[in-house]
Amino acid sequence: MTTYHHGNLRAALIETATELASARGPDGVVLREVARLAGVSHNAAYRHFADREELLAEVAAIGQQRLAAAMRRRLAGVHVTDPAARATARLRETGRAYVLFALDQPGLFRAAFSTAPAPCEDADPYAVLLAALDDLVAVGLLEADHRDAAAVTCWSAVHGFAELHLAGPLQATPRRERTRQLEQLLDTLQGGLIAS
Amino acid sequence: MTTYHHGNLRAALIETATELASARGPDGVVLREVARLAGVSHNAAYRHFADREELLAEVAAIGQQRLAAAMRRRLAGVHVTDPAARATARLRETGRAYVLFALDQPGLFRAAFSTAPAPCEDADPYAVLLAALDDLVAVGLLEADHRDAAAVTCWSAVHGFAELHLAGPLQATPRRERTRQLEQLLDTLQGGLIAS
DNA sequence: GTGTGGAAGTTGTCACTGTCAACATTGGAG
DNA sequence: CTCCAATGTTGACAGTGACAACTTCCACAC
């Protein structure tokens, strides 16, 4: 009962491309192979995307979406009641979640930042970070006009950490050592950002 | 008077590849074009490199070499006499130099970290960073057994900053704002690392 | 001198890719 | 019922990394 028209090819292509990206990184998203896996001829994709880049942008959006979701999920697991301690713990967890996602889903993570993502609601890991920093401001641990710069600093640190351990020169670091390094990075960030 | 044998093709190919990488990034290093520019047929390169990857590794080594050189050059411009202040200033300058090189030579910087560099003496930006941290230990501003973790933290932060501003979501940040963010990142790092 | 062997370059070819153009099929609006 | 625009398909082209087979040249032994 396969019709000539696929019915929902666009979505199927994005999903297949996302799987390829997860398995092999952004360069693994090969237009012709995506089409093959979707059971459709090469060039079918051109009815839905201007070029390979546009498909990759869709994958990037999904990557950022999943990253943001993973961060929110982990944040939900923070059970600390004291407001100040809670805000601090949540900031740390934000960074931890970012790095853990990158290490757990290297292909998708790299794809997420290999090109400008397609516009997409709910897809902003940056928003999660800003929210965590806003909590810190709310409990008086961070000056309000330091928030934006703090965001860039935090993001840079965890992003660089992920990049260096993923494809960079720190690739070979054993897992235990890596988590130790991450915790110390979070310590340093916390110490540098939070006045108390 | 051109001989059949080029005489120094290997070096010529590496240089051409480096220029291509500087101009267009690692993906711009196309074996056939490198050969063309070097005035030699495609496939000539295979007498000197097992595959494209091996040529790229050579380019990566040169990239890291130039990065380390740029860092050392800038460090030489730090004129502060008080030992403690000097060590601090040198650490900051290390980070500043790293980011400025990345932003100034985006293609080469990306190439430098796109693959494992060929082994090469004098090519280690990490060594420059470690030296700066050793100075901090020497003047008592950093505990000796915090050095390695501090190195990873510093490297992560500046590397991530560069990556996010180079090809990432912070690409569009205006220059003035960018330098402000960088200085605040260095402030935070300094505050988090240095006890005093 | 000479001639021979291996290093260095070349030509030819293959499978594969992204993209364009022209054609085929289909379901739905009128 | 008919036509048309959206959706897929076939075929082609230039460009790529890689392999194999051929050619040219230099260095060294004799």
CSV table of all heavy atoms in Angstrom, one decimal, chain B residues 21-73:
chain,number,residue,atom,x,y,z
B,21,ALA,N,43.7,26.4,4.1
B,21,ALA,CA,43.0,26.2,5.4
B,21,ALA,C,42.8,27.6,6.0
B,21,ALA,O,41.7,27.9,6.6
B,21,ALA,CB,43.8,25.4,6.3
B,22,SER,N,43.8,28.5,5.9
B,22,SER,CA,43.6,29.8,6.4
B,22,SER,C,42.5,30.6,5.8
B,22,SER,O,41.7,31.3,6.4
B,22,SER,CB,44.9,30.6,6.2
B,22,SER,OG,46.0,30.0,6.9
B,23,ALA,N,42.4,30.4,4.5
B,23,ALA,CA,41.3,31.1,3.7
B,23,ALA,C,40.0,30.5,3.9
B,23,ALA,O,39.0,31.3,3.9
B,23,ALA,CB,41.7,31.2,2.3
B,24,ARG,N,39.9,29.2,3.9
B,24,ARG,CA,38.5,28.6,3.9
B,24,ARG,C,38.3,27.5,4.9
B,24,ARG,O,37.2,26.9,4.9
B,24,ARG,CB,38.4,27.9,2.5
B,24,ARG,CG,38.6,28.8,1.3
B,24,ARG,CD,38.2,28.1,0.1
B,24,ARG,NE,39.1,28.5,-1.1
B,24,ARG,CZ,39.2,27.7,-2.2
B,24,ARG,NH1,38.7,26.5,-2.3
B,24,ARG,NH2,40.0,28.2,-3.1
B,25,GLY,N,39.2,27.4,5.9
B,25,GLY,CA,39.0,26.4,6.9
B,25,GLY,C,39.3,25.0,6.5
B,25,GLY,O,39.7,24.8,5.3
B,26,PRO,N,39.3,24.0,7.4
B,26,PRO,CA,39.8,22.7,7.1
B,26,PRO,C,39.1,22.0,5.9
B,26,PRO,O,39.7,21.4,5.1
B,26,PRO,CB,39.5,21.9,8.4
B,26,PRO,CG,38.6,22.8,9.2
B,26,PRO,CD,38.8,24.2,8.8
B,27,ASP,N,37.8,22.3,5.7
B,27,ASP,CA,37.1,21.7,4.6
B,27,ASP,C,37.5,22.3,3.3
B,27,ASP,O,37.2,21.7,2.2
B,27,ASP,CB,35.6,21.9,4.7
B,27,ASP,CG,35.0,21.0,5.9
B,27,ASP,OD1,35.7,20.1,6.4
B,27,ASP,OD2,33.9,21.2,6.3
B,28,GLY,N,38.2,23.4,3.3
B,28,GLY,CA,38.7,24.0,2.1
B,28,GLY,C,40.0,23.4,1.6
B,28,GLY,O,40.4,23.7,0.5
B,29,VAL,N,40.5,22.5,2.4
B,29,VAL,CA,41.7,21.8,1.9
B,29,VAL,C,41.4,20.6,1.1
B,29,VAL,O,41.1,19.6,1.6
B,29,VAL,CB,42.6,21.4,3.1
B,29,VAL,CG1,43.8,20.6,2.7
B,29,VAL,CG2,43.0,22.6,4.0
B,30,VAL,N,41.3,20.9,-0.2
B,30,VAL,CA,40.9,19.9,-1.2
B,30,VAL,C,42.1,19.3,-1.9
B,30,VAL,O,42.9,20.1,-2.5
B,30,VAL,CB,39.9,20.5,-2.2
B,30,VAL,CG1,39.5,19.4,-3.2
B,30,VAL,CG2,38.7,21.0,-1.5
B,31,LEU,N,42.4,18.1,-1.7
B,31,LEU,CA,43.6,17.5,-2.2
B,31,LEU,C,43.9,17.9,-3.7
B,31,LEU,O,45.0,18.3,-4.0
B,31,LEU,CB,43.5,16.0,-2.1
B,31,LEU,CG,44.7,15.2,-1.6
B,31,LEU,CD1,45.3,16.0,-0.4
B,31,LEU,CD2,44.4,13.8,-1.2
B,32,ARG,N,43.0,17.8,-4.5
B,32,ARG,CA,43.2,18.0,-5.9
B,32,ARG,C,43.5,19.5,-6.2
B,32,ARG,O,44.3,19.8,-7.1
B,32,ARG,CB,42.0,17.6,-6.8
B,32,ARG,CG,41.8,16.1,-6.8
B,32,ARG,CD,40.5,15.6,-7.4
B,32,ARG,NE,40.6,15.2,-8.8
B,32,ARG,CZ,40.6,14.0,-9.2
B,32,ARG,NH1,40.4,13.0,-8.4
B,32,ARG,NH2,40.7,13.7,-10.5
B,33,GLU,N,42.9,20.4,-5.4
B,33,GLU,CA,43.2,21.8,-5.6
B,33,GLU,C,44.5,22.1,-5.0
B,33,GLU,O,45.2,23.0,-5.6
B,33,GLU,CB,42.1,22.6,-4.9
B,33,GLU,CG,42.3,24.1,-5.2
B,33,GLU,CD,41.1,24.9,-4.7
B,33,GLU,OE1,40.2,24.4,-4.0
B,33,GLU,OE2,41.0,26.1,-5.0
B,34,VAL,N,44.9,21.5,-3.9
B,34,VAL,CA,46.2,21.8,-3.4
B,34,VAL,C,47.3,21.4,-4.5
B,34,VAL,O,48.2,22.2,-4.8
B,34,VAL,CB,46.5,20.9,-2.1
B,34,VAL,CG1,47.9,21.0,-1.7
B,34,VAL,CG2,45.5,21.4,-1.0
B,35,ALA,N,47.1,20.2,-5.1
B,35,ALA,CA,48.0,19.8,-6.1
B,35,ALA,C,48.0,20.8,-7.3
B,35,ALA,O,49.1,21.2,-7.7
B,35,ALA,CB,47.6,18.4,-6.6
B,36,ARG,N,46.9,21.2,-7.7
B,36,ARG,CA,46.7,22.1,-8.8
B,36,ARG,C,47.5,23.4,-8.5
B,36,ARG,O,48.4,23.9,-9.3
B,36,ARG,CB,45.3,22.5,-9.0
B,36,ARG,CG,44.8,22.5,-10.4
B,36,ARG,CD,43.2,22.7,-10.4
B,36,ARG,NE,42.5,21.5,-9.9
B,36,ARG,CZ,41.4,21.6,-9.2
B,36,ARG,NH1,40.9,22.7,-8.8
B,36,ARG,NH2,40.8,20.5,-8.8
B,37,LEU,N,47.3,24.0,-7.3
B,37,LEU,CA,48.0,25.2,-6.9
B,37,LEU,C,49.5,25.0,-6.8
B,37,LEU,O,50.3,25.9,-7.1
B,37,LEU,CB,47.4,25.7,-5.6
B,37,LEU,CG,46.0,26.2,-5.6
B,37,LEU,CD1,45.5,26.6,-4.2
B,37,LEU,CD2,45.9,27.5,-6.5
B,38,ALA,N,49.9,23.8,-6.5
B,38,ALA,CA,51.4,23.5,-6.4
B,38,ALA,C,51.9,23.2,-7.8
B,38,ALA,O,53.1,22.9,-7.9
B,38,ALA,CB,51.6,22.4,-5.4
B,39,GLY,N,51.1,23.3,-8.8
B,39,GLY,CA,51.6,23.0,-10.1
B,39,GLY,C,51.9,21.6,-10.4
B,39,GLY,O,52.9,21.3,-11.2
B,40,VAL,N,51.2,20.7,-9.8
B,40,VAL,CA,51.5,19.3,-9.9
B,40,VAL,C,50.2,18.5,-10.1
B,40,VAL,O,49.1,19.0,-9.9
B,40,VAL,CB,52.2,18.9,-8.6
B,40,VAL,CG1,51.3,18.2,-7.7
B,40,VAL,CG2,53.5,18.2,-8.8
B,41,SER,N,50.3,17.3,-10.6
B,41,SER,CA,49.1,16.6,-11.0
B,41,SER,C,48.4,16.1,-9.7
B,41,SER,O,49.0,15.9,-8.7
B,41,SER,CB,49.3,15.5,-11.9
B,41,SER,OG,49.7,14.3,-11.1
B,42,HIS,N,47.1,15.9,-9.8
B,42,HIS,CA,46.4,15.2,-8.7
B,42,HIS,C,47.1,13.9,-8.5
B,42,HIS,O,47.7,13.4,-9.4
B,42,HIS,CB,44.9,15.1,-9.0
B,42,HIS,CG,44.6,13.9,-9.9
B,42,HIS,ND1,44.5,14.1,-11.3
B,42,HIS,CD2,44.4,12.6,-9.7
B,42,HIS,CE1,44.2,12.9,-11.9
B,42,HIS,NE2,44.1,12.0,-10.9
B,43,ASN,N,47.1,13.4,-7.3
B,43,ASN,CA,47.8,12.1,-7.0
B,43,ASN,C,49.2,12.3,-6.6
B,43,ASN,O,49.8,11.4,-6.0
B,43,ASN,CB,47.6,11.1,-8.1
B,43,ASN,CG,46.3,10.3,-7.9
B,43,ASN,OD1,45.7,10.5,-6.9
B,43,ASN,ND2,46.0,9.5,-8.8
B,44,ALA,N,49.8,13.4,-7.0
B,44,ALA,CA,51.2,13.5,-6.7
B,44,ALA,C,51.4,13.5,-5.1
B,44,ALA,O,52.3,13.0,-4.6
B,44,ALA,CB,51.8,14.8,-7.2
B,45,ALA,N,50.4,14.1,-4.5
B,45,ALA,CA,50.4,14.1,-3.0
B,45,ALA,C,50.5,12.8,-2.4
B,45,ALA,O,51.1,12.6,-1.3
B,45,ALA,CB,49.2,14.9,-2.5
B,46,TYR,N,50.0,11.8,-3.1
B,46,TYR,CA,50.0,10.4,-2.4
B,46,TYR,C,51.4,9.8,-2.3
B,46,TYR,O,51.6,8.8,-1.7
B,46,TYR,CB,49.1,9.5,-3.2
B,46,TYR,CG,47.6,9.8,-3.0
B,46,TYR,CD1,46.9,10.6,-3.8
B,46,TYR,CD2,47.0,9.3,-1.8
B,46,TYR,CE1,45.6,10.8,-3.6
B,46,TYR,CE2,45.7,9.5,-1.6
B,46,TYR,CZ,44.9,10.3,-2.5
B,46,TYR,OH,43.6,10.6,-2.2
B,47,ARG,N,52.4,10.5,-2.9
B,47,ARG,CA,53.8,10.0,-2.7
B,47,ARG,C,54.3,10.5,-1.4
B,47,ARG,O,55.3,10.1,-0.9
B,47,ARG,CB,54.7,10.6,-3.8
B,47,ARG,CG,54.4,10.0,-5.2
B,47,ARG,CD,54.7,8.5,-5.2
B,47,ARG,NE,53.9,7.8,-6.2
B,47,ARG,CZ,53.9,6.5,-6.4
B,47,ARG,NH1,54.6,5.8,-5.6
B,47,ARG,NH2,53.1,6.0,-7.3
B,48,HIS,N,53.6,11.5,-0.8
B,48,HIS,CA,54.1,12.1,0.5
B,48,HIS,C,53.1,12.0,1.7
B,48,HIS,O,53.5,12.1,2.8
B,48,HIS,CB,54.4,13.6,0.2
B,48,HIS,CG,55.4,13.8,-0.9
B,48,HIS,ND1,56.7,13.7,-0.7
B,48,HIS,CD2,55.2,14.1,-2.2
B,48,HIS,CE1,57.3,14.0,-1.8
B,48,HIS,NE2,56.5,14.2,-2.7
B,49,PHE,N,51.8,11.7,1.4
B,49,PHE,CA,50.9,11.6,2.4
B,49,PHE,C,50.0,10.4,2.1
B,49,PHE,O,49.6,10.2,1.0
B,49,PHE,CB,50.0,12.8,2.6
B,49,PHE,CG,50.8,14.1,2.7
B,49,PHE,CD1,51.0,14.9,1.6
B,49,PHE,CD2,51.4,14.5,3.9
B,49,PHE,CE1,51.8,16.0,1.6
B,49,PHE,CE2,52.1,15.6,4.0
B,49,PHE,CZ,52.3,16.4,2.9
B,50,ALA,N,49.7,9.6,3.2
B,50,ALA,CA,48.9,8.4,3.0
B,50,ALA,C,47.5,8.8,2.4
B,50,ALA,O,46.9,8.1,1.6
B,50,ALA,CB,48.7,7.6,4.3
B,51,ASP,N,47.0,9.9,2.9
B,51,ASP,CA,45.6,10.3,2.5
B,51,ASP,C,45.5,11.8,2.9
B,51,ASP,O,46.3,12.4,3.5
B,51,ASP,CB,44.5,9.5,3.1
B,51,ASP,CG,44.7,9.3,4.6
B,51,ASP,OD1,45.5,10.1,5.2
B,51,ASP,OD2,44.0,8.5,5.2
B,52,ARG,N,44.3,12.3,2.6
B,52,ARG,CA,44.0,13.7,2.9
B,52,ARG,C,44.2,14.0,4.4
B,52,ARG,O,44.7,15.1,4.8
B,52,ARG,CB,42.6,14.0,2.5
B,52,ARG,CG,42.1,15.4,2.8
B,52,ARG,CD,40.7,15.6,2.2
B,52,ARG,NE,40.2,16.9,2.6
B,52,ARG,CZ,39.6,17.2,3.7
B,52,ARG,NH1,39.5,16.2,4.6
B,52,ARG,NH2,39.2,18.4,4.0
B,53,GLU,N,43.8,13.1,5.2
B,53,GLU,CA,43.9,13.3,6.7
B,53,GLU,C,45.3,13.6,7.1
B,53,GLU,O,45.5,14.4,8.0
B,53,GLU,CB,43.4,12.0,7.3
B,53,GLU,CG,43.0,12.2,8.8
B,53,GLU,CD,41.9,13.2,9.0
B,53,GLU,OE1,41.1,13.5,8.1
B,53,GLU,OE2,41.9,13.8,10.1
B,54,GLU,N,46.2,12.9,6.5
B,54,GLU,CA,47.6,13.0,6.9
B,54,GLU,C,48.1,14.4,6.5
B,54,GLU,O,48.9,15.0,7.3
B,54,GLU,CB,48.5,11.9,6.3
B,54,GLU,CG,49.6,11.5,7.1
B,54,GLU,CD,50.3,10.3,6.5
B,54,GLU,OE1,49.8,9.2,6.7
B,54,GLU,OE2,51.4,10.4,6.0
B,55,LEU,N,47.7,14.9,5.4
B,55,LEU,CA,48.1,16.3,5.0
B,55,LEU,C,47.4,17.3,6.0
B,55,LEU,O,48.1,18.2,6.5
B,55,LEU,CB,47.6,16.6,3.6
B,55,LEU,CG,47.8,18.1,3.1
B,55,LEU,CD1,49.2,18.5,3.2
B,55,LEU,CD2,47.3,18.2,1.7
B,56,LEU,N,46.2,17.1,6.3
B,56,LEU,CA,45.5,17.9,7.3
B,56,LEU,C,46.2,17.9,8.7
B,56,LEU,O,46.2,19.0,9.3
B,56,LEU,CB,44.0,17.5,7.5
B,56,LEU,CG,43.0,18.3,6.6
B,56,LEU,CD1,41.6,17.8,7.0
B,56,LEU,CD2,43.1,19.8,6.9
B,57,ALA,N,46.7,16.8,9.1
B,57,ALA,CA,47.4,16.7,10.3
B,57,ALA,C,48.6,17.6,10.3
B,57,ALA,O,48.9,18.2,11.3
B,57,ALA,CB,47.8,15.3,10.6
B,58,GLU,N,49.2,17.7,9.2
B,58,GLU,CA,50.4,18.6,9.0
B,58,GLU,C,50.0,20.0,9.2
B,58,GLU,O,50.6,20.8,9.9
B,58,GLU,CB,51.0,18.3,7.7
B,58,GLU,CG,52.4,18.0,7.5
B,58,GLU,CD,53.1,17.1,8.6
B,58,GLU,OE1,52.9,15.9,8.5
B,58,GLU,OE2,53.7,17.7,9.4
B,59,VAL,N,48.9,20.4,8.6
B,59,VAL,CA,48.3,21.7,8.7
B,59,VAL,C,47.9,22.0,10.1
B,59,VAL,O,48.2,23.1,10.6
B,59,VAL,CB,47.1,21.9,7.7
B,59,VAL,CG1,46.5,23.3,7.9
B,59,VAL,CG2,47.5,21.7,6.3
B,60,ALA,N,47.3,21.1,10.8
B,60,ALA,CA,46.9,21.3,12.2
B,60,ALA,C,48.2,21.6,13.0
B,60,ALA,O,48.1,22.4,13.9
B,60,ALA,CB,46.2,20.0,12.7
B,61,ALA,N,49.3,20.8,12.8
B,61,ALA,CA,50.5,21.1,13.5
B,61,ALA,C,51.0,22.5,13.3
B,61,ALA,O,51.3,23.2,14.3
B,61,ALA,CB,51.5,20.1,13.1
B,62,ILE,N,51.0,22.9,12.1
B,62,ILE,CA,51.4,24.3,11.8
B,62,ILE,C,50.5,25.3,12.5
B,62,ILE,O,50.9,26.3,13.0
B,62,ILE,CB,51.4,24.6,10.3
B,62,ILE,CG1,52.6,23.8,9.7
B,62,ILE,CG2,51.5,26.1,10.0
B,62,ILE,CD1,52.9,24.1,8.2
B,63,GLY,N,49.2,25.0,12.4
B,63,GLY,CA,48.2,25.9,13.1
B,63,GLY,C,48.5,26.0,14.6
B,63,GLY,O,48.6,27.2,15.1
B,64,GLN,N,48.7,24.9,15.2
B,64,GLN,CA,49.0,25.0,16.7
B,64,GLN,C,50.4,25.7,16.9
B,64,GLN,O,50.5,26.4,17.9
B,64,GLN,CB,49.0,23.6,17.3
B,64,GLN,CG,47.7,22.9,17.2
B,64,GLN,CD,47.4,22.0,18.3
B,64,GLN,OE1,48.1,22.0,19.3
B,64,GLN,NE2,46.3,21.2,18.2
B,65,GLN,N,51.3,25.4,16.0
B,65,GLN,CA,52.6,26.1,16.2
B,65,GLN,C,52.4,27.6,16.1
B,65,GLN,O,53.0,28.3,17.0
B,65,GLN,CB,53.4,25.6,15.0
B,65,GLN,CG,54.9,25.6,15.2
B,65,GLN,CD,55.6,24.9,14.0
B,65,GLN,OE1,55.2,23.8,13.6
B,65,GLN,NE2,56.6,25.5,13.4
B,66,ARG,N,51.7,28.1,15.1
B,66,ARG,CA,51.5,29.5,15.0
B,66,ARG,C,50.7,30.1,16.1
B,66,ARG,O,51.0,31.2,16.6
B,66,ARG,CB,50.8,29.8,13.7
B,66,ARG,CG,51.6,29.4,12.5
B,66,ARG,CD,51.4,30.3,11.3
B,66,ARG,NE,52.1,29.8,10.1
B,66,ARG,CZ,51.7,29.8,8.9
B,66,ARG,NH1,50.5,30.4,8.6
B,66,ARG,NH2,52.4,29.3,7.9
B,67,LEU,N,49.7,29.3,16.6
B,67,LEU,CA,49.0,29.8,17.8
B,67,LEU,C,49.9,29.9,19.0
B,67,LEU,O,49.9,31.0,19.6
B,67,LEU,CB,47.9,28.7,18.1
B,67,LEU,CG,47.1,28.9,19.4
B,67,LEU,CD1,46.5,30.3,19.5
B,67,LEU,CD2,46.0,27.8,19.5
B,68,ALA,N,50.7,28.9,19.2
B,68,ALA,CA,51.6,29.0,20.4
B,68,ALA,C,52.6,30.2,20.2
B,68,ALA,O,52.9,30.9,21.2
B,68,ALA,CB,52.4,27.7,20.5
B,69,ALA,N,53.1,30.4,19.0
B,69,ALA,CA,54.0,31.5,18.7
B,69,ALA,C,53.3,32.8,19.0
B,69,ALA,O,53.9,33.7,19.6
B,69,ALA,CB,54.5,31.4,17.3
B,70,ALA,N,52.1,32.9,18.5
B,70,ALA,CA,51.3,34.2,18.8
B,70,ALA,C,51.2,34.4,20.3
B,70,ALA,O,51.3,35.6,20.8
B,70,ALA,CB,50.0,34.1,18.1
B,71,MET,N,50.9,33.4,21.0
B,71,MET,CA,50.7,33.5,22.4
B,71,MET,C,52.1,34.0,23.1
B,71,MET,O,52.1,34.9,23.9
B,71,MET,CB,50.3,32.2,23.1
B,71,MET,CG,48.8,31.8,22.7
B,71,MET,SD,48.4,30.1,23.0
B,71,MET,CE,48.2,30.1,24.8
B,72,ARG,N,53.1,33.3,22.7
B,72,ARG,CA,54.4,33.7,23.3
B,72,ARG,C,54.8,35.1,22.9
B,72,ARG,O,55.3,35.9,23.7
B,72,ARG,CB,55.5,32.8,22.8
B,72,ARG,CG,55.6,31.4,23.5
B,72,ARG,CD,56.8,30.6,23.2
B,72,ARG,NE,56.5,29.6,22.2
B,72,ARG,CZ,56.2,28.4,22.4
B,72,ARG,NH1,56.2,27.9,23.7
B,72,ARG,NH2,56.0,27.5,21.4
B,73,ARG,N,54.5,35.5,21.7
B,73,ARG,CA,54.8,36.9,21.3
B,73,ARG,C,54.1,37.9,22.1
B,73,ARG,O,54.6,38.9,22.6
B,73,ARG,CB,54.4,37.1,19.8
B,73,ARG,CG,55.2,38.1,19.0
B,73,ARG,CD,54.7,38.1,17.6
B,73,ARG,NE,54.7,36.8,17.0
B,73,ARG,CZ,53.6,36.3,16.3
B,73,ARG,NH1,52.5,37.0,16.2
B,73,ARG,NH2,53.7,35.0,15.8
